[in-house]
């Protein structure tokens, strides 16, 4: 039982590392672009949110697995 | 009274999310009917003006993504999805949402999001078939190389799955975290989480409808590419 709880915590914890780093890089680059070219800010923002959605879904998969495991504890 | 009524409904297989979803639908219908009743061109009423500005902004946003023709055709679907998901997400911000029987964000249940994602999946096919005048649409599965067919199939099937999981996971996760914070520290901390979830609700509604718009655009544009190459 304890191992299942540990697994649930690790599932979401580990799944958050990669997308966290990735979103940081993406947001940084997007802000860089917006600062250089403020007139392109609208398009950049839309695409940034779209890119975030794909990265975020990886964490969400981990979260869903964590919930699945959590219901077994 | 409401508790016993909700228990009866639950016994009939109607969940709190379904009740909230129905109420949201009715509210949206009433707003639409009130705003659309005797519309004025010269001197629009207050409600009509408000709704027009909102829809106009949304239309402009999707026009930039889908292009003029496709946006005109499919904005009703995409815009409806956006508004509906936005209201569903924000219904979780109401006081005692999730605790009160009959009040629970519908998008925090996998059934609601899966239904929308499956609808989008088949609608994408419909858009493609309609734009390409028949089953020629499915040729895009063999497009770059024929041996990539299994990979393209997987990509197509994964789309509704990821749409479902993204919306469900975000809203359900946010609800759960707020609940946990509330049981830990009832004062102060949940407010921070609620403020975050205002942003989250908007972004998730935007992401769902944006991805839908992009899938529609991708499906609808294939014909144009083929015509250019021919």
């Amino acid at each position: 039982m304890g191992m299942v709880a540990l697994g649930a915590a690790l599932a979401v914890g580990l799944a958050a590392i990669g997308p966290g780093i990735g979103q940081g890089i993406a947001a940084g680059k997007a802000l860089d672009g917006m600062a250089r070219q403020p007139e392109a800010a609208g398009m950049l923002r839309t695409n940034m949110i779209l890119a975030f959605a794909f990265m975020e879904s990886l964490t969400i998969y981990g979260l869903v697995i964590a919930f699945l495991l959590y219901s077994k504890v | 009274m409401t508790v016993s009524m909700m228990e009866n409904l639950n016994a009939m297989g109607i969940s709190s999310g379904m009740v909230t979803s129905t109420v949201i639908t009715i509210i949206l219908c009433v707003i639409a009917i009130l705003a659309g009743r005797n519309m004025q061109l010269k001197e629009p009423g207050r409600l009509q003006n408000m709704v027009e500005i909102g829809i106009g902004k949304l239309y402009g946003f999707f026009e930039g993504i889908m292009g003029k023709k496709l946006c005109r055709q499919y904005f009703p679907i995409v815009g409806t999805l956006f508004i509906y998901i936005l209201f569903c997400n924000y219904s979780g911000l109401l006081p005692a949402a999730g605790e009160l029987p009959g009040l629970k964000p519908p998008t925090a249940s996998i059934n609601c999001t899966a239904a929308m994602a499956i609808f989008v999946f088949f609608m994408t096919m419909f858009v493609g078939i309609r734009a390409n005048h028949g089953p020629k649409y499915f040729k895009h599965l063999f497009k770059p190389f024929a041996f990539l067919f299994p990979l393209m199939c997987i990509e197509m099937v994964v789309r509704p799955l990821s749409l479902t999981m993204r919306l469900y996971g975000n809203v359900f996760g946010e609800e759960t975290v707020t609940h946990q914070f509330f049981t830990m520290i009832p004062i102060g901390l949940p407010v921070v989480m609620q403020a975050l979830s205002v942003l989250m609700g908007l972004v998730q509604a935007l992401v769902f409808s944006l991805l839908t718009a992009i899938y529609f655009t991708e499906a609808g544009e294939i014909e144009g590419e083929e015509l250019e190459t021919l």
Side-chain angles (χ1 to χ4, degrees):
Chain A
M1 280 302 140
M3 291 306 274
V4 176
L6 198 64
L10 281 177
V12 65
L14 289 177
I17 294 176
I21 297 170
Q23 289 201 346
I25 293 170
K29 295 272 182 198
L31 287 176
D32 207 22
M34 281 183 213
R36 277 166 199 266
Q37 254 180 311
E39 66 269 19
M43 199 192 71
L44 278 174
R45 197 173 298 122
T46 311
N47 286 333
M48 184 178 80
I49 289 172
L50 193 67
F52 276 9
F54 288 120
M55 286 181 248
E56 204 179 44
S57 61
L58 300 174
T59 309
I60 297 299
Y61 295 152
L63 187 72
V64 170
I65 298 295
F67 280 134
L68 284 179
L69 288 175
Y70 185 70
S71 62
K72 282 185 187 169
V73 174
Chain B
M1 187 208 83
T2 47
V3 174
S4 64
M5 204 172 85
M6 201 55 227
E7 272 168 4
N8 283 339
L9 284 177
N10 274 337
M12 282 159 62
I14 296 171
S15 63
S16 303
M18 286 162 80
V19 175
T20 316
S21 164
T22 313
V23 171
I24 288 169
T25 315
I26 292 169
I27 290 171
L28 286 177
C29 285
V30 167
I31 291 175
I33 290 167
L34 283 181
R37 207 179 46 182
N38 58 59
M39 286 196 285
Q40 304 282 324
L41 190 63
K42 291 243 169 70
E43 288 173 23
R46 250 190 270 165
L47 187 65
Q48 189 201 338
N49 221 340
M50 218 171 77
V51 173
E52 267 180 4
I53 288 171
I55 298 290
K57 287 258 184 225
L58 207 60
Y59 190 87
F61 176 74
F62 282 117
E63 200 172 35
I65 292 156
M66 300 170 86
K68 272 212 165 58
K69 187 171 162 254
L70 274 175
C71 187
R72 215 181 146 66
Q73 276 177 319
Y74 298 113
F75 174 74
I77 294 169
V78 180
T80 307
L81 278 175
F82 174 79
I83 294 167
Y84 176 68
I85 295 170
L86 188 71
F87 272 71
C88 284
N89 289 350
Y90 279 178
S91 70
L93 293 173
L94 293 172
E99 304 289 324
L100 216 64
L103 181 59
K104 186 172 172 284
T107 40
S109 142
I110 199 163
N111 300 314
C112 176
T113 58
M116 283 188 287
I118 290 166
F119 164 70
V120 168
F121 176 68
F122 286 109
M123 197 62 207
T124 312
M125 283 184 186
F126 173 78
V127 171
I129 288 168
R130 190 173 165 199
N132 295 292
H133 308 293
K136 254 191 340 189
Y137 163 66
F138 291 103
K139 271 207 296 198
H140 85 276
L141 288 174
F142 303 95
K143 218 45 206 286
F145 305 106
F147 66 86
L148 285 181
F149 176 68
L151 216 63
M152 298 294 272
C153 277
I154 291 172
E155 195 204 334
M156 212 159 116
V157 174
V158 157
R159 274 176 179 184
L161 190 74
S162 76
L163 271 182
T164 310
M165 285 299 172
R166 187 176 302 121
L167 189 56
Y168 160 71
N170 265 300
V171 179
F172 181 65
E174 183 265 327
E175 287 289 307
T176 315
V177 169
T178 314
H179 189 80
Q180 291 297 329
F181 277 179
F182 189 74
T183 48
M184 274 196 292
I185 310 167
I187 304 160
L189 197 56
V191 178
V192 180
M193 203 57 212
Q194 295 285 60
L196 266 180
S197 63
V198 171
L199 193 68
M200 194 277 316
L202 179 67
V203 167
Q204 286 314 312
L206 195 67
V207 161
F208 194 99
S209 49
L210 194 63
L211 282 174
T212 308
I214 285 169
Y215 294 159
F216 283 4
T217 317
E218 209 181 71
E221 264 180 354
I222 289 169
E223 184 203 24
E225 280 175 12
E226 273 184 358
L227 281 180
E228 274 171 21
T229 49
L230 277 173

